Amino acid sequence: MDKPVCLIDTASDGKLCVQGSALQVLEQIQQPVVVVAVVGLYRTGKSYLMNRLAGKQTGFALGSTIESKTKGIWMWCVPHPTKAETTLVLLDTEGLGDVDKGDSKHDTNIFCLAVLLSSTLVYNSRGTIDNRAVEELQYVTELTECIKVKSSDEDVDDSNEFVKFFPSFIWAVRDFTLERKIDGKDATENDYLEFALKLKHGNLSMYNLPRECIQKFFPSRMCFTFPFPTAPENVSRLERLDPADLSTEFLEVTGRFCKFVFDKSHVKKLKDGYTVTGRVLGHLAKTYVDTISSGAVPCLENAVIAMAMIENQAAVKEGLEVYQSGMEKLKNSFPLELKVVSSEHQRLSSMATQTFMTRSFRDTDGKHLKSLEVINELFDGYLCQNEQASKKRCEDLLSSLSATMTEKLKQGIFAKSGGYDLFCKDLEDIVKKYNIQTNKEVKAEVVLEGFLKQKSVDSKAILQADKKLTEKEKKIKEKAILLEQEIKAKEEAQRQLLEKMEAERQSNEERMRQMKEKMDEEMRLQREEAERAMDSKLREQAALLEKGFQEKADRMSQEMEVFKRQNTEAESNRAREFACNCTMQFTYCKIILYHYI
């Protein structure tokens, strides 16, 4: 993208809506995305930071008046500067606290969407991180009412699980002029942030609540303090200034900020560790915005279920397209030997399954994977087409090879004493040449059997008319002429049937193997996600104990016990679902075997 586009806007009825043009852009991005969103009060310079992350001087609109320039959420997708095969998605949000809007709920929704869509959330403020600045971040305290993790109808506080999927947090303090000192000692930017977020003892819930929420929801925190960028009279034209006109200290902090975002911001992931691509990000934005516009609360579990349905259906379609496009190319070379068609079927079936696995997620019951079993039906269809092509080729060949015999029959050359032996010799010559030229044809034996049956009428007539043979010899020859070919045709049909059955068996086993790998990977990601969340809670508990908040630390212990139990149950459920699916697949393979036997 050479410039930003509006992703989320406000419709005429005041409700948020997703722009179709932005969804089309995201639909084309198949790579994983790192999503960086900036939020903060209006007219605090958010857009400048986004432009710097995009590596551009201009792009997102910078306001030079008291009026907020950015409306809704604007998006800019650029190649990630340090992560190969990854797209950096920058989201510049509408300024919070704009007096013209007169709708605090709108601000909360914008903040909520920035949290839900991003992997790194940048909160931009001016001056210092004092109590007023923390209070202005009131939207953090409202997240428990604006976001649900689970789809339960019960009004349950599941905010303890926010840590699993919330973005990392950066507080960017603009126009910072104070000395960073704590108790008379120099402090780092992060020390300054943590000092500002310290809880106080006593009945100070209003003071502690926003700080508790930031610490609880955003365990990964970073702070950058930016000095004034330039002289006050030049701030209104910041985007047009030459770097030489900007403060060296400001440029240094901006450089560190960009490097940190590039190096430390992770690829966006859904609950359970599923990697988000641009296409999935578009679906998420649409799902969340539609939910908010309907008056409901966005639910992570519902969003994941909706994404799984969309992606799994698309994964099945992509897998089938891989198989069919490959077989359609192979069809241009029909007729082919059965083992060639079977080998290509197995290769393409494996590719189709891999394509499905790459895009699918949370298909623990194997419902969508099972849809790929239609490949076996498609395989039957291609085998039939190959057989038809083989049959036509064999019939055309026999027609050509028997043309001379047909002419002799018309002329009555075999209608004489000893004519039967002449007829048999000509027929043997035709069969010999035919077998040489159709050595690997799948319908060679069947077509030859049909040809010999057709010629048996002529054969019987010639045999009965041949006065050189006794009646006993005639009866023996009449019975033997087709017997050998019938046996060969049946043996060939049985061999082909077994080969086809083996190809389908191997395809089903390959699907199960890949599904197990996928399930193992998803369970590993789920465990890692739970371990990161638990580690965060342990650090939070240790900090509470260190600061003397024993009661809060005890509550945290209870939360961790519930958290561990829930994760153990979730992993057990996934394991059971997979085992059940394996049983169903094994039963299906046995049905195939019984069908062919």
Side-chain angles (χ1 to χ4, degrees), residues 94-113:
E94 180 176 343
L96 307 175
D98 187 350
V99 293
D100 288 339
K101 286 181 291 191
D103 181 5
S104 60
K105 185 63 176 175
H106 179 83
D107 284 350
T108 301
N109 289 336
I110 291 292
F111 186 86
C112 176
L113 286 169

Side-chain angles (χ1 to χ4, degrees), residues 438-476:
T438 60
N439 183 37
K440 297 179 180 180
E441 290 287 349
V442 293
K443 300 300 286 184
E445 301 299 337
V446 171
V447 170
L448 180 58
E449 182 185 12
F451 173 78
L452 293 179
K453 284 181 178 179
Q454 290 176 351
K455 293 303 176 187
S456 68
V457 177
D458 298 324
S459 175
K460 288 179 181 178
I462 295 170
L463 179 63
Q464 294 303 319
D466 194 336
K467 297 179 180 178
K468 185 178 178 180
L469 298 172
T470 65
E471 288 302 316
K472 184 178 181 181
E473 289 174 325
K474 289 177 182 180
K475 287 182 180 180
I476 293 174

Side-chain angles (χ1 to χ4, degrees), residues 90 138 194 210 343 380-381 390 392 402 430 433 490 504 511 531 555:
L90 303 172
Q138 60 179 323
E194 295 307 312
S343 176
D380 288 344
S390 176
K392 185 177 185 308
S402 63
I430 292 170
K433 291 176 183 178
K490 287 180 180 178
E504 293 192 4
R511 275 196 287 276
E531 287 167 3
R555 284 204 303 270

Side-chain angles (χ1 to χ4, degrees), residues 445-446 448-450 452-453 456 478-494:
E445 301 299 337
V446 171
L448 180 58
E449 182 185 12
L452 293 179
K453 284 181 178 179
S456 68
E478 186 178 345
K479 290 181 180 179
I481 192 167
L482 286 175
L483 183 59
E484 182 181 355
Q485 186 55 39
E486 286 177 355
I487 294 172
K488 288 174 65 178
K490 287 180 180 178
E491 289 176 346
E492 178 62 18
Q494 183 67 15

Side-chain angles (χ1 to χ4, degrees), residues 6-56:
C6 183
L7 173 63
I8 298 171
D9 201 357
T10 305
S12 58
D13 60 359
K15 294 182 178 180
L16 295 173
C17 60
V18 180
Q19 297 298 301
S21 57
L23 292 180
Q24 289 176 3
V25 172
L26 290 173
E27 183 68 28
Q28 303 306 313
I29 300 175
Q30 308 297 323
Q31 296 177 338
V33 291
V34 172
V35 188
V36 180
V38 62
V39 296
L41 298 181
Y42 78 108
R43 299 297 301 114
T44 52
K46 302 186 305 300
S47 300
Y48 177 81
L49 288 182
M50 291 291 101
N51 288 340
R52 299 305 302 149
L53 289 173
K56 302 292 183 181

Side-chain angles (χ1 to χ4, degrees), residues 262-303:
F262 295 151
D263 293 346
K264 302 300 182 181
S265 294
H266 298 294
V267 167
K268 173 71 175 173
K269 292 183 182 295
L270 289 180
K271 189 172 177 289
D272 296 340
Y274 181 75
T275 298
V276 173
T277 62
R279 180 187 62 244
V280 173
L281 182 66
H283 291 319
L284 281 176
K286 185 77 167 60
T287 299
Y288 291 140
V289 169
D290 288 350
T291 301
I292 290 173
S293 296
S294 72
V297 176
C299 172
L300 269 293
E301 187 172 71
N302 286 345

